[in-house]
Amino acid sequence: MSGGQPETKIGRKGIAVAALLLTASGLAMLRPAPAFSQETELRGEVSESAILADQQRKARQLRAQGSQDQNSPAAATVQDTASTAYQPASPGAVPDDDQTAGTADSIFDQPQATDDPLADTTAPAKPRRPSTAKQRAQDTKADTKTADKKKAKKKNGAATDSTTTAATAGTGSQTDTTATDEADANRRALTIDSVDKQKLDPGAERTASIEGQKVKPEEDPFAAPGVKIGTFLFRPTLEQGFTATSNADSSSTGKSAVLSETALRFTATSDWRENSALITGYGLFRNTVSGQKINDAQGRIEGQLNVDLDNELRAIAKLGYEAAPESASSPDAIAGVTQQPLRQTVDGSLGIEKSVGKMRYALTGAVSHDFYGDAELSNGTSVSQKDRDSTLYTATLRTGYQISPALMPFTEVEAGRRIYDLRIDTDGFERSSTRLGARAGLELDMGEKLSGEFSVGWLREAIDDNRLPAVAGPSIDADLKWSPERGTTIGLTGKTTVETTTTANESGDILYSGRVTGERQIRANLTANSALGLDWRDYTGSDGHDMILSAEAGLTWWLNRYAGVTTRVRTEKLTSNLPGRDYTANSIYLGLKVQR
């Protein structure tokens, strides 16, 4: 057949070209290696038969792809292979390399990305087709039908696959590029510099500086901060002001005056780990600016030490010193003096407390020594008060039962002895006495709401001299603090005191003192305080009695934590069935208070 000879010649020429290429590259294979397939443009002249065969191969691929779209890939492959089998026309004809059954690739094929780490998959090798005129016509017709079908699918919105090797490579390249872009974006997001470039969430709450954080407000922002001295926190207060009063010395003969008053108060609290100590003190100095002549001073200092011992034992020790002039309203006050005698007191106590289950036991021993200075008369002479010096020794046993942590009823028994420095006074009386007392009460501990104790009982002090009756009567003692609401504190104090005397034929009296105090924090820098007092003095051996009523109200306005302005008004009235004892005293005070 005349159509087969040209084919044979072309095949032989192809063999000759391949042999020349193999000789030039030094390879022993019958076709170029994939590593050099990208260099086809540098190989020189290529036969027309090879170009034509490559075009036919691509057309067959398009036709095969179109057959797969019609869901008949297997049938199309079988039909295509059978119709395009090579039949040599001349004896001894040899098929071209590119016509070998389904194993060889075209020299125009793109290299497979076998060493590309970013390649997802490797496209399988495509079968080669024989190069015949009849086959070319069939391929052209199939290409036209396939293109028409693809256009129809695109119009209907159907997704199509890539139909050529170049299209497949483009799609893979696009996928690889997208993956690479995403990886680069992730790497950029993980860099340190990228944090500064990220946009802030407008709804995110900004964290303020340490100085801007909310600080818990102080319970009392105007309380004294104190000064650290060793292991004690020292809080001093100094108050300076002026008092205008209608009765300078609170006596039946008192006159009006303007007084300069200076008051110094302090507390010192320990910060020990186990035990505790507390020291308190005050001093008051009064001098006349105008009016009745007054020049006196008084004060007290007291220390308390609490020590926890083994075996549920607790020790409490107290020591104090007090100095104050004799009050002009005292039953032992001396008339016609320019200055009342100075009374000084040194007292101390030691107590041991023991807990056994719910039982509480306490044994306390106390000592108090009073000594007096001389009274200065208006004529320049003085009167000794040595016969009034005495020492009181007492022992008190308390037994309590704890009903609950808040309630503990108790009973208390007291025994003591008062001994005068002078066994017999200037009037010939033996003033020493024996003291006995019994009380029952209730101790409360409800935290800040209510705390303290109160008791009632009987107290008797029998004098050694049979001519003098014993000083005896009911005893009432109380020390309670009640806080109905935050910022308000109400206190109740009561005390029963045996007052001795060296007046001839008199034994003395019992003084009952009661105070109700109130303090209200109106604002953080404004504090109000008030007090109501009632004193009742019952004279032994007679029907004489004194009643003292007092009322006081004050305000303190703090300018800052360290200074404030304070003022108070006070009234006091004594009424008695004994002659020459009634008096009324009204006063108003204004001053400046500083604290640290």
Side-chain angles (χ1 to χ4, degrees), residues 124-144:
K126 301 298 180 178
R128 297 297 301 275
R129 297 290 180 172
S131 177
T132 60
K134 181 178 180 180
Q135 187 64 44
R136 287 197 300 271
Q138 293 177 357
D139 292 344
T140 303
K141 184 178 180 179
D143 293 342
T144 304

Side-chain angles (χ1 to χ4, degrees), residues 236-243 259-266 282-286 529 552 554-558 562-569 588-596:
T237 301
L238 177 63
E239 187 175 323
Q240 175 62 54
F242 297 92
T243 298
L259 307 176
S260 171
E261 291 190 8
T262 303
L264 175 64
R265 299 177 178 86
F266 73 90
Y282 79 92
L284 178 61
F285 307 90
R286 300 195 310 164
N529 55 77
E552 180 179 320
L555 286 172
T556 300
W557 177 37
W558 293 101
Y562 305 103
V565 178
T566 182
T567 181
R568 59 178 174 267
V569 293
I588 183 171
Y589 171 85
L590 178 63
L592 178 67
K593 179 187 291 186
V594 295
Q595 63 182 8
R596 183 67 176 89

